[in-house]
Amino acid sequence: MERRIVLIWFPQLMTDWMLRRQQELKGFPFALALTEKGRRVVKAVNDVSQNQGVYPGMVVADCKALVPDLQVFDYDPQQPKILLTALAEWCIRYTPFVSIDETDGLILDASGCTHLWGGEEGYLQDIHKRFKNFGYHIRTAIAETIGCAWAVCHYSKNASIITSGKQNEILSMLPSAALRLETNSQERLEKLGLKTIGDFIQMPRTALRRRFGQSLLMRLDQALGLEMEMMTPVKPPAIYEERLPSLEPIRTATGIEIALKVLLEALCERLNHESKGLRKCELRCYRLDGNIQRIDIGTNRPTRNVTHLFKLFEIKIAQIDPDLGIELFILEASIVEELFSSQDALWTVSNANEVAVAELIDKLAGKIGSGSIHRYLPAEHYWPEKSVKESSSLTEKATTNWRTDLPRPLHLLPKPEQIEVSVPVPDYPPLLFRYQGVLHNVKKADGPERIGQEWWTQQGLYRDYYCVEDELGARYWVFRSGDYSDDPKWFIHGFFA
Protein backbone atom coordinates (compact mmCIF):
# COMPACT_ATOMS: atom_id res chain seq x y z
CA MET A 1 0.00 0.00 0.00
CA GLU A 2 1.34 3.40 -1.00
CA ARG A 3 2.13 5.68 1.91
CA ARG A 4 0.24 8.99 1.89
CA ILE A 5 1.08 11.74 4.38
CA VAL A 6 -1.13 14.78 5.02
CA LEU A 7 0.35 17.93 6.52
CA ILE A 8 -2.02 20.45 8.14
CA TRP A 9 -0.43 23.84 8.89
CA PHE A 10 -2.09 26.40 11.16
CA PRO A 11 -0.42 29.73 10.23
CA GLN A 12 -2.58 31.64 12.74
CA LEU A 13 -3.16 28.93 15.33
CA MET A 14 -3.13 31.01 18.54
CA THR A 15 -4.97 34.04 17.17
CA ASP A 16 -7.66 31.79 15.66
CA TRP A 17 -7.97 30.15 19.07
CA MET A 18 -8.39 33.58 20.70
CA LEU A 19 -11.09 34.54 18.20
CA ARG A 20 -13.01 31.36 19.00
CA ARG A 21 -13.00 32.35 22.67
CA GLN A 22 -13.61 36.10 22.17
CA GLN A 23 -15.74 36.74 19.09
CA GLU A 24 -15.74 40.48 19.79
CA LEU A 25 -12.08 40.67 18.62
CA LYS A 26 -13.08 39.92 15.03
CA GLY A 27 -12.07 42.77 12.72
CA PHE A 28 -9.76 44.41 15.29
CA PRO A 29 -5.95 44.20 15.40
CA PHE A 30 -4.57 42.15 18.28
CA ALA A 31 -1.45 40.19 19.17
CA LEU A 32 -0.11 37.73 21.74
CA ALA A 33 3.15 38.67 23.43
CA LEU A 34 5.66 37.11 25.83
CA THR A 35 8.21 38.82 28.07
CA GLU A 36 11.78 38.00 26.99
CA LYS A 37 14.87 39.62 28.53
CA GLY A 38 12.81 42.45 29.95
CA ARG A 39 10.97 43.18 26.72
CA ARG A 40 7.51 42.27 25.52
CA VAL A 41 7.95 40.39 22.24
CA VAL A 42 5.11 39.56 19.86
CA LYS A 43 4.65 35.81 19.29
CA ALA A 44 1.42 35.71 17.26
CA VAL A 45 -0.71 38.23 15.35
CA ASN A 46 -4.05 38.07 13.56
CA ASP A 47 -4.43 38.92 9.86
CA VAL A 48 -5.73 42.45 10.62
CA SER A 49 -2.54 43.29 12.55
CA GLN A 50 -0.36 41.67 9.91
CA ASN A 51 -1.95 43.78 7.19
CA GLN A 52 -0.96 46.87 9.18
CA GLY A 53 2.70 45.82 9.44
CA VAL A 54 2.80 43.89 12.74
CA TYR A 55 4.71 40.60 12.67
CA PRO A 56 5.89 38.01 15.20
CA GLY A 57 9.28 38.87 16.68
CA MET A 58 8.61 42.61 16.93
CA VAL A 59 8.73 44.45 20.25
CA VAL A 60 5.30 45.46 21.56
CA ALA A 61 6.37 49.11 21.99
CA ASP A 62 7.24 49.33 18.28
CA CYS A 63 3.96 47.64 17.35
CA LYS A 64 1.98 50.14 19.45
CA ALA A 65 3.71 53.01 17.70
CA LEU A 66 2.75 51.48 14.36
CA VAL A 67 -0.81 50.47 15.35
CA PRO A 68 -2.00 52.55 18.37
CA ASP A 69 -5.25 50.60 18.83
CA LEU A 70 -3.46 47.21 18.87
CA GLN A 71 -4.71 44.97 21.69
CA VAL A 72 -2.03 42.82 23.31
CA PHE A 73 -2.72 39.62 25.28
CA ASP A 74 -0.40 37.30 27.19
CA TYR A 75 1.08 34.40 25.26
CA ASP A 76 1.22 31.04 27.04
CA PRO A 77 4.12 28.94 25.63
CA GLN A 78 2.38 25.73 26.70
CA GLN A 79 -0.94 26.50 25.02
CA PRO A 80 0.04 25.60 21.41
CA LYS A 81 0.96 22.05 22.40
CA ILE A 82 -2.22 21.65 24.47
CA LEU A 83 -4.32 22.97 21.59
CA LEU A 84 -2.57 20.86 18.95
CA THR A 85 -2.98 17.74 21.07
CA ALA A 86 -6.73 18.34 21.29
CA LEU A 87 -6.94 19.00 17.54
CA ALA A 88 -4.88 15.87 16.85
CA GLU A 89 -7.28 13.73 18.88
CA TRP A 90 -10.18 15.26 16.94
CA CYS A 91 -8.43 14.35 13.66
CA ILE A 92 -8.44 10.66 14.59
CA ARG A 93 -11.73 10.57 12.68
CA TYR A 94 -9.60 10.83 9.51
CA THR A 95 -6.90 8.32 10.44
CA PRO A 96 -5.65 6.47 13.54
CA PHE A 97 -2.14 7.92 13.03
CA VAL A 98 -2.02 11.62 13.92
CA SER A 99 1.14 13.36 15.11
CA ILE A 100 2.02 16.93 16.16
CA ASP A 101 4.39 18.93 13.97
CA GLU A 102 6.34 21.20 16.33
CA THR A 103 4.17 24.19 17.38
CA ASP A 104 1.84 24.86 14.47
CA GLY A 105 0.94 21.75 12.52
CA LEU A 106 -0.37 18.20 12.40
CA ILE A 107 0.86 15.18 10.46
CA LEU A 108 -1.66 12.54 9.37
CA ASP A 109 -0.78 9.16 7.90
CA ALA A 110 -3.74 8.82 5.54
CA SER A 111 -2.58 5.58 3.91
CA GLY A 112 -5.65 3.51 3.05
CA CYS A 113 -8.08 6.12 4.44
CA THR A 114 -8.77 8.63 1.67
CA HIS A 115 -11.15 6.37 -0.31
CA LEU A 116 -13.71 6.81 2.49
CA TRP A 117 -14.03 10.45 1.41
CA GLY A 118 -14.09 9.70 -2.32
CA GLY A 119 -10.36 10.16 -2.84
CA GLU A 120 -7.58 12.49 -1.78
CA GLU A 121 -9.23 15.64 -3.10
CA GLY A 122 -12.43 14.95 -1.16
CA TYR A 123 -10.33 14.04 1.89
CA LEU A 124 -8.56 17.44 1.93
CA GLN A 125 -11.77 19.32 1.12
CA ASP A 126 -13.52 17.81 4.11
CA ILE A 127 -10.60 18.76 6.38
CA HIS A 128 -10.67 22.34 5.08
CA LYS A 129 -14.44 22.59 5.49
CA ARG A 130 -14.40 21.33 9.08
CA PHE A 131 -11.59 23.57 10.28
CA LYS A 132 -13.08 26.58 8.52
CA ASN A 133 -16.33 25.97 10.39
CA PHE A 134 -14.31 25.85 13.61
CA GLY A 135 -12.70 29.20 12.76
CA TYR A 136 -9.17 27.98 11.95
CA HIS A 137 -7.14 29.06 8.92
CA ILE A 138 -5.22 26.08 7.55
CA ARG A 139 -3.10 24.99 4.62
CA THR A 140 -2.81 21.34 3.63
CA ALA A 141 -0.73 19.11 1.38
CA ILE A 142 -0.56 15.40 0.71
CA ALA A 143 2.49 13.51 -0.50
CA GLU A 144 4.45 10.27 -0.04
CA THR A 145 6.77 11.67 2.63
CA ILE A 146 6.51 13.98 5.62
CA GLY A 147 9.30 16.19 4.25
CA CYS A 148 7.67 16.68 0.87
CA ALA A 149 4.21 17.33 2.37
CA TRP A 150 5.71 19.86 4.79
CA ALA A 151 7.61 21.68 2.01
CA VAL A 152 4.58 21.89 -0.29
CA CYS A 153 2.24 22.94 2.52
CA HIS A 154 4.49 25.81 3.67
CA TYR A 155 6.02 27.02 0.40
CA SER A 156 3.95 25.93 -2.62
CA LYS A 157 1.11 28.21 -3.75
CA ASN A 158 -0.26 25.88 -6.40
CA ALA A 159 -0.07 22.13 -5.86
CA SER A 160 -1.42 20.48 -2.72
CA ILE A 161 -1.64 16.86 -3.87
CA ILE A 162 1.69 15.39 -4.97
CA THR A 163 1.30 12.12 -6.86
CA SER A 164 3.75 9.25 -6.60
CA GLY A 165 7.15 9.89 -8.20
CA LYS A 166 6.68 13.68 -8.47
CA GLN A 167 8.66 14.67 -5.34
CA ASN A 168 11.84 15.60 -7.26
CA GLU A 169 10.00 17.79 -9.73
CA ILE A 170 7.99 19.65 -7.07
CA LEU A 171 10.83 20.05 -4.57
CA SER A 172 13.18 21.43 -7.22
CA MET A 173 10.95 24.49 -7.60
CA LEU A 174 10.74 25.25 -3.85
CA PRO A 175 13.17 27.39 -1.80
CA SER A 176 15.88 25.63 0.20
CA ALA A 177 14.14 26.64 3.45
CA ALA A 178 11.44 24.11 2.56
CA LEU A 179 13.79 21.30 3.70
CA ARG A 180 13.51 22.39 7.37
CA LEU A 181 17.26 23.04 7.59
CA GLU A 182 19.21 24.42 10.50
CA THR A 183 19.81 28.18 10.46
CA ASN A 184 23.56 27.88 9.74
CA SER A 185 23.03 25.56 6.77
CA GLN A 186 20.30 27.79 5.39
CA GLU A 187 22.48 30.92 5.60
CA ARG A 188 25.40 29.16 3.86
CA LEU A 189 23.16 28.03 1.00
CA GLU A 190 21.90 31.57 0.46
CA LYS A 191 25.45 33.03 0.48
CA LEU A 192 26.43 30.57 -2.24
CA GLY A 193 23.37 31.48 -4.31
CA LEU A 194 21.69 28.10 -3.85
CA LYS A 195 18.25 29.54 -3.25
CA THR A 196 16.08 26.67 -4.47
CA ILE A 197 16.33 22.94 -3.85
CA GLY A 198 16.75 22.44 -7.60
CA ASP A 199 20.03 24.39 -7.44
CA PHE A 200 21.75 21.63 -5.46
CA ILE A 201 19.57 18.49 -5.66
CA GLN A 202 21.79 17.03 -8.42
CA MET A 203 25.11 18.06 -6.85
CA PRO A 204 27.53 15.31 -5.67
CA ARG A 205 26.62 14.13 -2.17
CA THR A 206 30.22 14.26 -0.99
CA ALA A 207 30.40 17.96 -1.83
CA LEU A 208 27.13 18.68 -0.04
CA ARG A 209 28.24 16.73 3.02
CA ARG A 210 31.59 18.51 3.15
CA ARG A 211 30.08 21.99 2.94
CA PHE A 212 26.76 21.63 4.78
CA GLY A 213 27.06 18.53 6.93
CA GLN A 214 25.03 15.36 7.13
CA SER A 215 21.83 17.15 8.26
CA LEU A 216 21.18 18.61 4.78
CA LEU A 217 21.50 15.18 3.14
CA MET A 218 19.25 13.65 5.79
CA ARG A 219 16.50 16.23 5.21
CA LEU A 220 16.82 15.85 1.45
CA ASP A 221 16.59 12.06 1.64
CA GLN A 222 13.60 12.27 3.97
CA ALA A 223 11.77 14.55 1.55
CA LEU A 224 12.59 12.28 -1.42
CA GLY A 225 11.61 9.12 0.46
CA LEU A 226 15.14 7.66 0.49
CA GLU A 227 15.23 7.75 4.30
CA MET A 228 12.31 6.93 6.59
CA GLU A 229 11.05 9.68 8.90
CA MET A 230 9.09 8.38 11.86
CA MET A 231 6.04 10.00 13.39
CA THR A 232 4.81 9.61 16.96
CA PRO A 233 1.01 9.42 17.18
CA VAL A 234 -0.61 11.45 19.98
CA LYS A 235 -2.60 8.33 20.75
CA PRO A 236 -1.04 5.09 19.57
CA PRO A 237 -3.71 3.04 17.80
CA ALA A 238 -5.07 0.24 19.94
CA ILE A 239 -4.15 -3.22 18.75
CA TYR A 240 -7.73 -4.38 19.20
CA GLU A 241 -9.77 -1.61 17.59
CA GLU A 242 -12.53 -1.50 15.00
CA ARG A 243 -13.67 1.62 13.11
CA LEU A 244 -16.99 2.24 11.34
CA PRO A 245 -17.49 5.51 9.42
CA SER A 246 -21.05 6.56 8.54
CA LEU A 247 -22.10 7.68 5.08
CA GLU A 248 -24.87 9.73 6.70
CA PRO A 249 -24.77 11.18 10.27
CA ILE A 250 -26.35 8.81 12.82
CA ARG A 251 -28.85 10.55 15.12
CA THR A 252 -30.95 7.72 16.58
CA ALA A 253 -30.43 5.11 19.28
CA THR A 254 -31.34 2.40 16.76
CA GLY A 255 -28.57 3.54 14.44
CA ILE A 256 -26.07 3.49 17.31
CA GLU A 257 -27.16 -0.04 18.26
CA ILE A 258 -26.71 -1.27 14.68
CA ALA A 259 -23.23 0.27 14.49
CA LEU A 260 -22.30 -1.23 17.86
CA LYS A 261 -23.40 -4.73 16.80
CA VAL A 262 -21.35 -4.52 13.60
CA LEU A 263 -18.26 -3.42 15.54
CA LEU A 264 -18.71 -6.06 18.26
CA GLU A 265 -19.09 -8.86 15.71
CA ALA A 266 -15.93 -7.77 13.89
CA LEU A 267 -13.92 -7.39 17.10
CA CYS A 268 -15.09 -10.67 18.67
CA GLU A 269 -14.42 -12.57 15.44
CA ARG A 270 -10.85 -11.32 15.55
CA LEU A 271 -10.52 -12.23 19.24
CA ASN A 272 -11.90 -15.69 18.47
CA HIS A 273 -9.18 -16.30 15.86
CA GLU A 274 -6.53 -15.35 18.42
CA SER A 275 -8.07 -17.30 21.35
CA LYS A 276 -8.51 -14.13 23.37
CA GLY A 277 -11.30 -12.36 25.23
CA LEU A 278 -11.74 -8.75 26.30
CA ARG A 279 -11.97 -7.44 29.87
CA LYS A 280 -12.46 -3.74 29.14
CA CYS A 281 -13.95 -2.05 26.10
CA GLU A 282 -14.80 1.54 25.06
CA LEU A 283 -17.09 2.88 22.35
CA ARG A 284 -16.21 6.36 21.04
CA CYS A 285 -18.69 8.27 18.89
CA TYR A 286 -17.31 11.21 16.88
CA ARG A 287 -19.98 13.85 16.28
CA LEU A 288 -20.16 16.37 13.46
CA ASP A 289 -19.51 19.27 15.86
CA GLY A 290 -16.19 17.79 17.02
CA ASN A 291 -17.49 16.41 20.31
CA ILE A 292 -16.58 12.83 21.24
CA GLN A 293 -19.15 10.77 23.16
CA ARG A 294 -17.77 7.81 25.15
CA ILE A 295 -19.21 4.81 26.97
CA ASP A 296 -17.25 1.86 28.35
CA ILE A 297 -17.84 -1.52 29.94
CA GLY A 298 -15.81 -4.02 31.95
CA THR A 299 -16.13 -7.75 32.52
CA ASN A 300 -15.09 -10.02 35.40
CA ARG A 301 -13.56 -12.59 33.08
CA PRO A 302 -12.35 -12.43 29.47
CA THR A 303 -15.19 -12.90 27.00
CA ARG A 304 -15.97 -12.66 23.31
CA ASN A 305 -19.70 -13.26 23.64
CA VAL A 306 -21.26 -10.66 21.33
CA THR A 307 -24.73 -10.93 22.88
CA HIS A 308 -23.45 -10.47 26.42
CA LEU A 309 -21.20 -7.53 25.49
CA PHE A 310 -24.01 -5.82 23.57
CA LYS A 311 -26.32 -6.08 26.59
CA LEU A 312 -23.67 -4.41 28.75
CA PHE A 313 -23.34 -1.54 26.27
CA GLU A 314 -27.11 -1.33 25.73
CA ILE A 315 -27.62 -0.14 29.30
CA LYS A 316 -25.41 2.91 28.59
CA ILE A 317 -26.46 3.83 25.05
CA ALA A 318 -28.93 6.37 26.49
CA GLN A 319 -25.91 8.33 27.79
CA ILE A 320 -24.82 9.08 24.20
CA ASP A 321 -26.07 12.42 22.85
CA PRO A 322 -25.85 12.26 19.01
CA ASP A 323 -26.80 15.96 18.63
CA LEU A 324 -26.35 16.83 14.92
CA GLY A 325 -25.19 13.31 14.16
CA ILE A 326 -22.34 10.83 14.61
CA GLU A 327 -20.01 10.29 11.66
CA LEU A 328 -17.53 7.77 13.06
CA PHE A 329 -17.70 4.92 15.59
CA ILE A 330 -14.57 3.40 17.14
CA LEU A 331 -14.70 0.32 19.38
CA GLU A 332 -11.50 -0.29 21.34
CA ALA A 333 -10.68 -3.26 23.60
CA SER A 334 -8.09 -1.79 25.95
CA ILE A 335 -7.64 -4.92 28.11
CA VAL A 336 -7.48 -8.30 26.38
CA GLU A 337 -6.55 -11.64 27.95
CA GLU A 338 -6.03 -15.21 26.82
CA LEU A 339 -9.24 -17.24 26.58
CA PHE A 340 -8.63 -20.85 25.57
CA SER A 341 -11.58 -23.07 24.66
CA SER A 342 -11.97 -25.96 27.10
CA GLN A 343 -13.48 -28.65 24.85
CA ASP A 344 -13.43 -31.30 27.58
CA ALA A 345 -15.50 -29.14 29.95
CA LEU A 346 -17.75 -27.47 27.38
CA TRP A 347 -21.32 -27.01 28.58
CA THR A 348 -20.66 -28.76 31.88
CA VAL A 349 -22.80 -27.61 34.79
CA SER A 350 -19.92 -26.09 36.72
CA ASN A 351 -18.57 -24.22 33.73
CA ALA A 352 -22.04 -22.98 32.74
CA ASN A 353 -22.68 -21.75 36.28
CA GLU A 354 -19.38 -19.91 36.39
CA VAL A 355 -20.08 -18.16 33.09
CA ALA A 356 -23.63 -17.27 34.18
CA VAL A 357 -22.41 -15.78 37.47
CA ALA A 358 -19.72 -13.76 35.67
CA GLU A 359 -22.23 -12.36 33.17
CA LEU A 360 -24.71 -11.55 35.95
CA ILE A 361 -22.02 -9.61 37.84
CA ASP A 362 -21.14 -7.73 34.64
CA LYS A 363 -24.79 -6.67 34.20
CA LEU A 364 -25.10 -5.57 37.83
CA ALA A 365 -21.81 -3.64 37.59
CA GLY A 366 -23.15 -1.83 34.51
CA LYS A 367 -26.19 -0.67 36.49
CA ILE A 368 -24.82 0.07 39.98
CA GLY A 369 -21.11 0.47 39.27
CA SER A 370 -18.23 -1.99 39.57
CA GLY A 371 -17.18 -0.41 42.87
CA SER A 372 -20.38 -1.70 44.51
CA ILE A 373 -19.56 -5.39 43.93
CA HIS A 374 -16.87 -7.19 45.93
CA ARG A 375 -15.69 -10.76 46.31
CA TYR A 376 -13.76 -11.88 49.37
CA LEU A 377 -11.55 -14.88 50.06
CA PRO A 378 -10.11 -16.14 53.36
CA ALA A 379 -6.56 -15.10 54.18
CA GLU A 380 -4.06 -16.97 56.34
CA HIS A 381 -4.13 -14.62 59.34
CA TYR A 382 -5.58 -14.90 62.86
CA TRP A 383 -6.32 -11.18 63.30
CA PRO A 384 -9.96 -10.89 62.09
CA GLU A 385 -9.51 -7.74 59.98
CA LYS A 386 -6.58 -9.40 58.21
CA SER A 387 -8.25 -12.80 57.79
CA VAL A 388 -10.12 -11.76 54.61
CA LYS A 389 -8.85 -10.35 51.33
CA GLU A 390 -10.64 -8.90 48.32
CA SER A 391 -10.42 -10.77 45.02
CA SER A 392 -10.69 -9.06 41.64
CA SER A 393 -11.40 -12.26 39.72
CA LEU A 394 -13.99 -15.02 39.85
CA THR A 395 -11.35 -17.58 38.90
CA GLU A 396 -9.02 -16.90 41.83
CA LYS A 397 -8.98 -19.81 44.27
CA ALA A 398 -8.77 -19.62 48.06
CA THR A 399 -5.46 -20.69 49.62
CA THR A 400 -7.11 -21.60 52.95
CA ASN A 401 -10.57 -22.43 54.33
CA TRP A 402 -13.13 -20.14 55.94
CA ARG A 403 -13.35 -20.33 59.73
CA THR A 404 -16.67 -22.08 60.43
CA ASP A 405 -16.16 -23.71 63.83
CA LEU A 406 -16.84 -20.47 65.75
CA PRO A 407 -19.39 -17.66 65.11
CA ARG A 408 -18.26 -14.75 62.97
CA PRO A 409 -20.20 -11.50 62.34
CA LEU A 410 -21.86 -10.86 58.98
CA HIS A 411 -20.53 -7.27 58.98
CA LEU A 412 -16.91 -6.90 60.11
CA LEU A 413 -15.59 -3.37 60.63
CA PRO A 414 -12.35 -2.72 58.72
CA LYS A 415 -10.96 -1.16 61.89
CA PRO A 416 -12.24 -1.85 65.44
CA GLU A 417 -13.91 1.15 67.12
CA GLN A 418 -13.43 1.87 70.83
CA ILE A 419 -16.46 1.72 73.14
CA GLU A 420 -17.21 2.59 76.79
CA VAL A 421 -18.17 -0.43 78.91
CA SER A 422 -19.28 -1.34 82.41
CA VAL A 423 -17.87 -4.70 83.55
CA PRO A 424 -18.96 -6.37 86.86
CA VAL A 425 -15.84 -8.58 87.10
CA PRO A 426 -12.68 -7.70 85.15
CA ASP A 427 -12.63 -10.80 82.94
CA TYR A 428 -16.41 -10.94 82.41
CA PRO A 429 -18.36 -9.65 79.41
CA PRO A 430 -19.75 -6.10 79.80
CA LEU A 431 -23.14 -5.40 81.42
CA LEU A 432 -23.63 -2.40 79.16
CA PHE A 433 -21.65 -0.44 76.55
CA ARG A 434 -21.94 2.89 74.75
CA TYR A 435 -21.35 2.97 71.00
CA GLN A 436 -21.70 6.16 68.89
CA GLY A 437 -23.57 7.84 71.73
CA VAL A 438 -26.15 5.06 72.15
CA LEU A 439 -26.29 3.02 75.36
CA HIS A 440 -26.81 -0.76 74.96
CA ASN A 441 -27.82 -3.00 77.88
CA VAL A 442 -26.37 -6.49 77.46
CA LYS A 443 -28.91 -9.28 78.08
CA LYS A 444 -26.95 -12.27 76.77
CA ALA A 445 -23.25 -12.93 76.24
CA ASP A 446 -21.02 -15.76 75.08
CA GLY A 447 -17.25 -16.08 75.24
CA PRO A 448 -14.48 -15.30 75.53
CA GLU A 449 -12.63 -16.43 72.40
CA ARG A 450 -8.98 -15.49 72.64
CA ILE A 451 -7.28 -14.43 69.40
CA GLY A 452 -3.63 -13.46 69.15
CA GLN A 453 -1.40 -12.32 66.29
CA GLU A 454 1.14 -14.53 64.55
CA TRP A 455 4.44 -14.35 66.37
CA TRP A 456 6.33 -13.76 63.11
CA THR A 457 4.12 -10.79 62.20
CA GLN A 458 4.05 -8.59 65.28
CA GLN A 459 4.32 -9.02 69.01
CA GLY A 460 1.35 -7.30 70.61
CA LEU A 461 -1.69 -7.63 72.87
CA TYR A 462 -4.08 -10.51 72.47
CA ARG A 463 -7.82 -10.03 72.26
CA ASP A 464 -10.72 -11.66 74.15
CA TYR A 465 -13.83 -11.63 71.92
CA TYR A 466 -17.45 -11.84 73.20
CA CYS A 467 -20.73 -12.26 71.33
CA VAL A 468 -23.24 -10.03 73.13
CA GLU A 469 -26.95 -9.30 72.62
CA ASP A 470 -28.70 -6.12 73.79
CA GLU A 471 -32.27 -5.55 74.97
CA LEU A 472 -33.50 -5.06 71.36
CA GLY A 473 -32.10 -8.41 70.21
CA ALA A 474 -29.23 -6.91 68.20
CA ARG A 475 -26.00 -8.89 68.47
CA TYR A 476 -22.47 -7.49 68.45
CA TRP A 477 -18.91 -8.79 68.41
CA VAL A 478 -16.85 -6.94 71.05
CA PHE A 479 -13.42 -7.60 72.54
CA ARG A 480 -11.10 -6.57 75.31
CA SER A 481 -7.57 -5.74 74.19
CA GLY A 482 -4.95 -7.19 76.54
CA ASP A 483 -5.08 -8.48 80.07
CA TYR A 484 -7.77 -7.08 82.42
CA SER A 485 -5.11 -6.21 85.01
CA ASP A 486 -3.47 -3.65 82.66
CA ASP A 487 -6.41 -1.23 82.38
CA PRO A 488 -7.55 -2.72 79.03
CA LYS A 489 -9.62 -0.96 76.35
CA TRP A 490 -12.79 -2.36 74.82
CA PHE A 491 -13.71 -2.29 71.13
CA ILE A 492 -16.60 -3.24 68.88
CA HIS A 493 -15.54 -5.17 65.79
CA GLY A 494 -18.63 -6.52 64.04
CA PHE A 495 -22.39 -7.00 63.81
CA PHE A 496 -24.30 -10.27 63.55
CA ALA A 497 -27.44 -10.65 61.45
Side-chain angles (χ1 to χ4, degrees):
M1 182 173 61
E2 182 185 6
R3 193 184 190 204
R4 301 301 284 167
I5 300 296
V6 175
L7 201 296
I8 304 176
W9 177 35
F10 299 85
Q12 300 177 33
L13 176 67
M14 292 305 297
T15 53
D16 287 344
W17 175 71
M18 282 290 294
L19 280 171
R20 279 174 54 85
R21 298 173 66 211
Q22 302 183 36
Q23 295 290 331
E24 64 274 10
L25 292 175
K26 189 173 183 179
F28 294 93
F30 70 92
L32 303 176
L34 181 67
T35 302
E36 294 180 348
K37 298 180 180 180
R39 302 186 307 170
R40 295 272 288 168
V41 179
V42 172
K43 292 296 181 181
V45 297
N46 68 335
D47 50 1
V48 179
S49 303
Q50 199 166 357
N51 292 336
Q52 298 184 34
V54 178
Y55 294 93
M58 295 178 64
V59 178
V60 170
D62 296 337
C63 297
K64 282 284 190 178
L66 200 63
V67 184
D69 59 344
L70 178 70
Q71 298 186 56
V72 181
F73 302 92
D74 290 332
Y75 177 83
D76 182 0
Q78 303 300 323
Q79 189 59 41
K81 184 176 181 180
I82 296 173
L83 181 56
L84 285 173
T85 301
L87 293 174
E89 291 181 355
W90 181 86
C91 281
I92 290 177
R93 69 189 61 224
Y94 293 109
T95 171
F97 296 88
V98 185
S99 178
I100 295 175
D101 178 39
E102 296 185 350
T103 60
D104 60 0
L106 298 176
I107 304 171
L108 284 63
D109 188 340
S111 307
C113 299
T114 57
H115 69 281
L116 299 173
W117 282 264
E120 295 180 351
E121 186 174 348
Y123 190 83
L124 295 184
Q125 286 178 354
D126 192 76
I127 292 175
H128 273 274
K129 178 183 176 182
R130 296 297 184 83
F131 279 111
K132 183 179 179 180
N133 292 338
F134 289 157
Y136 287 102
H137 295 81
I138 66 168
R139 293 190 62 182
T140 60
I142 185 168
E144 284 187 289
T145 66
I146 296 175
C148 184
W150 192 95
V152 171
C153 185
H154 285 74
Y155 290 93
S156 177
K157 296 182 179 179
N158 300 318
S160 60
I161 299 177
I162 310 305
T163 56
S164 178
K166 295 291 185 179
Q167 292 99 318
N168 292 46
E169 179 182 341
I170 296 297
L171 289 171
S172 296
M173 298 183 293
L174 300 179
S176 55
L179 287 179
R180 301 171 292 168
L181 300 174
E182 298 174 355
T183 304
N184 292 339
S185 299
Q186 181 62 38
E187 291 177 351
R188 264 184 260 138
L189 285 170
E190 292 179 356
K191 286 181 180 179
L192 293 173
L194 306 175
K195 297 182 179 180
T196 67
I197 298 174
D199 293 337
F200 58 85
I201 194 172
Q202 299 296 336
M203 290 178 63
R205 296 177 65 85
T206 54
L208 291 174
R209 183 183 295 108
R210 185 169 58 251
R211 284 183 173 273
F212 307 105
Q214 183 61 33
S215 62
L216 184 143
L217 293 177
M218 179 190 70
R219 287 301 192 186
L220 187 58
D221 289 345
Q222 287 176 344
L224 295 174
L226 302 176
E227 182 174 333
M228 178 63 71
E229 183 176 358
M230 303 302 295
M231 56 183 289
T232 304
V234 289
K235 184 179 181 183
I239 298 177
Y240 296 96
E241 178 182 281
E242 296 293 333
R243 300 164 65 91
L244 181 64
S246 306
L247 295 177
E248 295 291 336
I250 302 299
R251 301 184 180 89
T252 64
T254 303
I256 297 173
E257 291 175 0
I258 294 173
L260 178 59
K261 287 180 180 178
V262 172
L263 290 170
L264 281 172
E265 288 172 357
L267 181 60
C268 289
E269 182 180 358
R270 180 181 172 190
L271 292 172
N272 185 46
H273 289 313
E274 300 182 21
S275 298
K276 297 179 184 289
L278 63 84
R279 287 287 308 277
K280 189 173 182 181
C281 193
E282 181 185 59
L283 175 67
R284 297 193 297 274
C285 307
Y286 291 76
R287 295 192 327 201
L288 288 172
D289 60 359
N291 182 272
I292 304 174
Q293 298 284 300
R294 307 169 188 264
I295 55 174
D296 57 60
I297 61 167
T299 63
N300 279 276
R301 54 176 288 162
T303 180
R304 50 177 179 259
N305 186 329
V306 175
T307 303
H308 174 58
L309 293 171
F310 177 77
K311 288 181 179 178
L312 297 181
F313 271 116
E314 190 176 24
I315 300 171
K316 300 184 176 183
I317 286 180
Q319 300 176 14
I320 299 176
D321 178 15
D323 197 57
L324 297 176
I326 299 169
E327 61 178 347
L328 175 65
F329 296 89
I330 296 180
L331 185 69
E332 175 188 337
S334 55
I335 300 179
V336 173
E337 297 178 359
E338 298 291 339
L339 179 61
F340 298 104
S341 300
S342 302
Q343 298 296 334
D344 55 339
L346 189 63
W347 304 121
T348 62
V349 175
S350 60
N351 187 55
N353 287 341
E354 184 179 341
V355 172
V357 170
E359 293 185 353
L360 174 62
I361 292 175
D362 292 340
K363 293 176 183 177
L364 292 173
K367 292 182 178 180
I368 64 176
S370 58
S372 302
I373 302 175
H374 305 274
R375 179 180 182 238
Y376 296 96
L377 294 175
E380 295 180 333
H381 289 284
Y382 292 128
W383 229 231
E385 61 267 33
K386 296 181 180 179
S387 64
V388 294
K389 63 179 180 180
E390 188 168 359
S391 173
S392 59
S393 172
L394 283 175
T395 58
E396 183 179 355
K397 304 298 182 182
T399 57
T400 186
N401 296 322
W402 287 106
R403 186 74 180 268
T404 58
D405 56 328
L406 291 171
R408 288 293 182 264
L410 181 64
H411 178 198
L412 184 71
L413 294 173
K415 184 178 180 181
E417 299 181 13
Q418 190 171 350
I419 56 177
E420 300 175 10
V421 302
S422 176
V423 183
V425 180
D427 58 347
Y428 271 38
L431 286 175
L432 54 86
F433 66 92
R434 188 181 299 275
Y435 174 60
Q436 293 185 347
V438 179
L439 185 65
H440 300 267
N441 292 307
V442 176
K443 296 301 182 181
K444 297 179 183 180
D446 187 24
E449 175 193 353
R450 179 161 292 184
I451 301 178
Q453 296 190 73
E454 301 85 358
W455 61 267
W456 62 86
T457 303
Q458 179 182 353
Q459 294 293 337
L461 299 174
Y462 58 82
R463 297 173 178 176
D464 283 338
Y465 279 85
Y466 295 88
C467 301
V468 299
E469 182 178 318
D470 65 8
E471 69 277 12
L472 299 177
R475 296 189 299 155
Y476 307 89
W477 208 33
V478 300
F479 70 84
R480 183 187 66 242
S481 179
D483 190 81
Y484 63 84
S485 61
D486 296 330
D487 190 21
K489 293 181 174 59
W490 285 79
F491 298 84
I492 187 170
H493 204 174
F495 308 88
F496 292 92

